[in-house]
Amino acid sequence: QCIQTFLLNKKPDDANNYLLKFSKLMRLVLENSQNSEVPLNDDMQALELYMQLESIRLKYPFTYSIHMGDGIDPEETTIPPLILQPFVENAIWHGLQYKTEPGHIDIYISKQNETLYVVVEDNGIGRSMSKKTSLPVLLKKESLGMKLTEERLKLINELKKIKAHFTIIDLFTKDDKPAGTKVELSLSLS
């Protein structure tokens, strides 16, 4: 739809830029999905391209920041491919796209002992407001995406005999209004 809009509005350079990013993302996804684990750097590159494309699509584009903790070598640290993407997708599709101003996503990655901790935090409209605003098809998409991620983490736990899990936390302002969502993921590296 973005490409069509760019072309209809006589913005061929924007359409070309979008297509280039999209093709690069597809190539990375295909390459990364051939492996059970990929370097964190490769997965983050795919995630950044995904966020750039999604930001272009929204009426109010969002910004994002990735905060990598000390002691993490993104070339040597490996994670299951696209394990963070569903959390970012939910932040965009259920939180940021309904904002009436630009939003923001923060991704914090830290390591303690042999566990990688990732926090995906958005300043979207929050889950309760999203349920009121979203189309029913988007609500089904969210539950399926989270269910598949949960099942994937269970499988990783069983196969590798490690602990991997996530928690979703609703964020609120001081006066108790929805202020976004935070997902905390812990993933054993051994």
Side-chain angles (χ1 to χ4, degrees), residues 40-179:
L40 178 60
N41 195 48
D42 293 357
D43 202 59
M44 295 312 294
Q45 186 179 7
L47 192 61
E48 281 195 72
L49 279 169
Y50 172 74
M51 289 189 287
Q52 290 169 11
L53 289 170
E54 285 289 65
S55 185
I56 292 168
R57 178 182 67 79
L58 298 185
K59 181 177 182 180
Y60 300 101
F62 63 90
T63 56
Y64 64 89
S65 299
I66 298 173
H67 313 272
M68 193 78 63
D70 294 335
I72 297 174
D73 182 345
E75 289 296 328
E76 294 298 319
T77 304
T78 59
I79 63 171
L82 299 172
I83 199 74
L84 305 178
Q85 191 275 338
F87 304 120
V88 172
E89 181 178 313
N90 276 349
I92 297 166
W93 280 75
H94 301 287
L96 298 182
Q97 85 170 343
Y98 296 111
K99 282 183 70 92
T100 56
E101 62 188 16
H104 185 76
I105 296 174
D106 275 305
I107 300 172
Y108 300 93
I109 302 170
S110 61
K111 182 179 170 185
Q112 188 175 27
N113 299 323
E114 288 302 309
T115 303
L116 192 70
Y117 295 97
V118 181
V119 173
V120 177
E121 187 173 326
D122 69 75
N123 68 346
I125 63 171
R127 290 193 302 170
S128 59
M129 186 64 77
S130 178
K131 288 178 182 170
K132 296 174 187 173
T133 308
S134 293
L135 298 171
V137 70
L138 290 180
L139 291 175
K140 286 181 185 177
K141 180 180 178 184
E142 175 184 20
S143 62
L144 179 62
M146 296 310 281
K147 182 178 168 126
L148 290 173
T149 302
E150 210 168 353
E151 288 175 10
R152 189 172 174 209
L153 289 175
K154 269 189 212 175
L155 186 61
I156 290 168
N157 288 340
E158 290 172 14
L159 292 175
K160 294 182 76 178
K161 306 290 186 230
I162 62 170
K163 292 180 182 177
H165 67 279
F166 67 91
T167 305
I168 302 172
I169 301 162
D170 296 309
L171 304 175
F172 296 93
T173 62
K174 290 177 186 172
D175 52 347
D176 223 24
K177 292 183 180 171

Side-chain angles (χ1 to χ4, degrees), residues 10-25:
K10 296 185 171 54
K11 296 182 178 178
D13 290 342
D14 289 341
N16 187 48
N17 184 33
Y18 189 91
L19 275 173
L20 288 172
K21 286 181 185 219
F22 182 77
S23 66
K24 187 173 183 180
L25 175 61

